């Protein structure tokens, strides 16, 4: 019995095997590569102790970590970030590339801003909105320490005016992008950027564009956060009662 089993096994092992089919792995073409182009929008970006980054609390760290995690999957997602350019806080950064000068609306007037670009040591593409008009320069240059990012500035510049200016600039850049990067998803971080979706939607409708789409993430909720009077918001001045709160 044992001999017959051994003979059968030997016969099976010696029998010719059908050729193994090995499927060739093809590199994705350019159309398939990085079909998600994601632009994170935040008032801060970085981790405590990381040179060249600006972080106040959790939002900056979360956005920084998200970009790092998405970098691992860069074969199908191109994740980048845009924040304001704070001259006092970014004074040690060098090697900026000027991408483009954009024109956008703020307080019922057309203003100019420069979009700067820098790649971090981890390979994350970071954009900055740098105002070119005195009205915007004063707003952002008034921030001398990170703790002032979410409050009124050193010399009295208003936080709501600063986020209004920044949101207006980002809405323009997110719809124009640069030659090799036009986002199809814009993710705003924090209640301060809640106006962004409205501005992008308006910009998209005016130009009959389908993209980008917006995602809004509230990282924290505190009583009173994100409540302003209509006449305090330079980018949303419409036919509203000035005493009516905007949430």
């Amino acid at each position: 019995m044992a001999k017959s089993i051994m003979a059968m096994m030997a016969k099976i092992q010696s029998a010719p095997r059908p050729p193994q089919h090995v499927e060739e792995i093809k590199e994705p073409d350019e159309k398939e590569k990085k079909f998600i182009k994601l632009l994170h929008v935040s008032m801060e970006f970085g981790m405590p102790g990381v040179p060249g980054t600006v972080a106040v609390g959790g939002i900056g760290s979360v956005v920084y970590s998200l970009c790092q995690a998405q970098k691992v999957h860069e074969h199908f997602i191109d994740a980048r970030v845009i924040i304001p350019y704070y001259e006092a806080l970014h004074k040690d950064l060098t090697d900026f590339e000027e991408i483009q000068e954009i024109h956008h609306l703020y307080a019922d007037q057309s203003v100019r801003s420069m979009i700067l670009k820098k790649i971090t040591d981890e390979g994350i593409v970071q954009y900055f909105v740098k105002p070119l008009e005195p009205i915007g320069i004063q707003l952002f240059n008034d921030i001398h320490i990170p703790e002032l990012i979410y409050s009124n500035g050193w010399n009295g510049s208003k936080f709501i005016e600063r986020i209004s200016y920044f949101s207006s600039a980002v809405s323009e850049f997110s719809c124009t992008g640069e030659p090799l990067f036009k986002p199809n998803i814009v993710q705003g971080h924090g209640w301060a950027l809640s106006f962004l979706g409205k501005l992008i939607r308006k910009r998209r409708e005016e130009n009959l564009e389908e993209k980008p789409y917006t995602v809004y993430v509230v990282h924290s909720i505190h009583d009173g956060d994100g409540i302003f009077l209509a006449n305090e918001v330079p980018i949303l001045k419409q036919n509203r009662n000035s005493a009516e709160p905007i949430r």
Side-chain angles (χ1 to χ4, degrees):
M1 181 71 177
K3 289 183 179 181
S4 61
I5 293 176
M6 293 294 292
M8 186 180 297
M9 290 180 62
K11 187 176 181 180
I12 293 174
Q13 290 176 353
S14 62
R17 298 184 180 183
Q20 298 266 338
H21 175 68
V22 179
E23 185 176 352
E24 182 181 355
I25 300 176
K26 296 181 180 180
E27 285 291 326
D29 60 27
E30 291 301 319
K31 291 184 179 179
E32 295 174 326
K33 286 182 178 179
K34 301 182 180 179
F35 59 88
I36 297 177
K37 294 185 178 181
L38 172 62
L39 181 66
H40 292 283
V41 186
S42 178
M43 299 297 289
E44 55 174 307
F45 175 75
M47 297 281 283
V50 177
T53 65
V54 175
V56 182
I59 293 180
S61 300
V62 168
V63 178
Y64 185 83
S65 298
L66 273 174
C67 289
Q68 283 186 312
Q70 290 163 345
K71 183 72 178 171
V72 176
H73 304 285
E74 62 180 354
H75 57 287
F76 71 89
I77 180 170
D78 187 351
R80 308 186 182 191
V81 62
I82 186 168
I83 70 169
Y85 176 78
Y86 307 106
E87 185 171 351
L89 304 182
H90 293 127
K91 61 183 179 181
D92 295 330
L93 291 183
T94 58
D95 302 326
F96 287 106
E97 179 184 354
E98 292 186 349
I99 296 300
Q100 60 175 289
E101 180 180 311
I102 60 172
H103 295 254
H104 55 103
L105 290 177
Y106 174 76
D108 298 326
Q109 60 180 303
S110 178
V111 294
R112 299 175 303 122
S113 294
M114 179 62 69
I115 302 298
L116 305 176
K117 178 180 178 181
K118 183 176 177 62
I119 301 177
T120 68
D121 293 339
E122 295 86 355
I124 300 169
V125 178
Q126 186 175 6
Y127 297 106
F128 300 83
V129 172
K130 182 179 182 179
L132 298 177
E133 308 281 359
I135 186 174
I137 293 173
Q138 191 272 334
L139 287 173
F140 290 92
N141 289 2
D142 199 16
I143 306 303
H144 296 125
I145 56 176
E147 286 72 20
L148 292 177
I149 287 178
Y150 295 102
S151 63
N152 293 335
W154 197 269
N155 294 314
S157 63
K158 291 185 178 180
F159 173 56
I160 182 60
E161 295 175 345
R162 193 160 57 252
I163 60 176
S164 295
Y165 190 103
F166 177 59
S167 296
S168 174
V170 171
S171 68
E172 178 65 25
F173 175 69
S174 64
C175 291
T176 59
E178 60 169 315
L180 297 178
F181 180 79
K182 185 175 181 181
N184 47 32
I185 299 176
V186 176
Q187 182 169 344
H189 293 272
W191 62 266
L193 297 173
S194 56
F195 307 132
L196 189 58
K198 180 180 179 67
L199 293 175
I200 291 177
R201 184 168 61 250
K202 181 180 179 181
R203 172 70 167 73
R204 190 172 66 216
E205 291 171 351
E206 290 174 350
N207 293 272
L208 301 177
E209 296 174 339
E210 297 182 359
K211 299 175 181 178
Y213 300 107
T214 57
V215 179
Y216 174 54
V217 180
V218 180
H219 291 257
S220 63
I221 300 177
H222 301 287
D223 291 338
D225 280 359
I227 301 177
F228 304 99
L229 299 182
N231 61 357
E232 294 179 321
V233 186
I235 54 174
L236 294 180
K237 286 185 177 179
Q238 299 176 352
N239 297 325
R240 304 183 66 156
N241 185 336
S242 63
E244 179 184 355
I246 297 176
R247 296 175 183 265

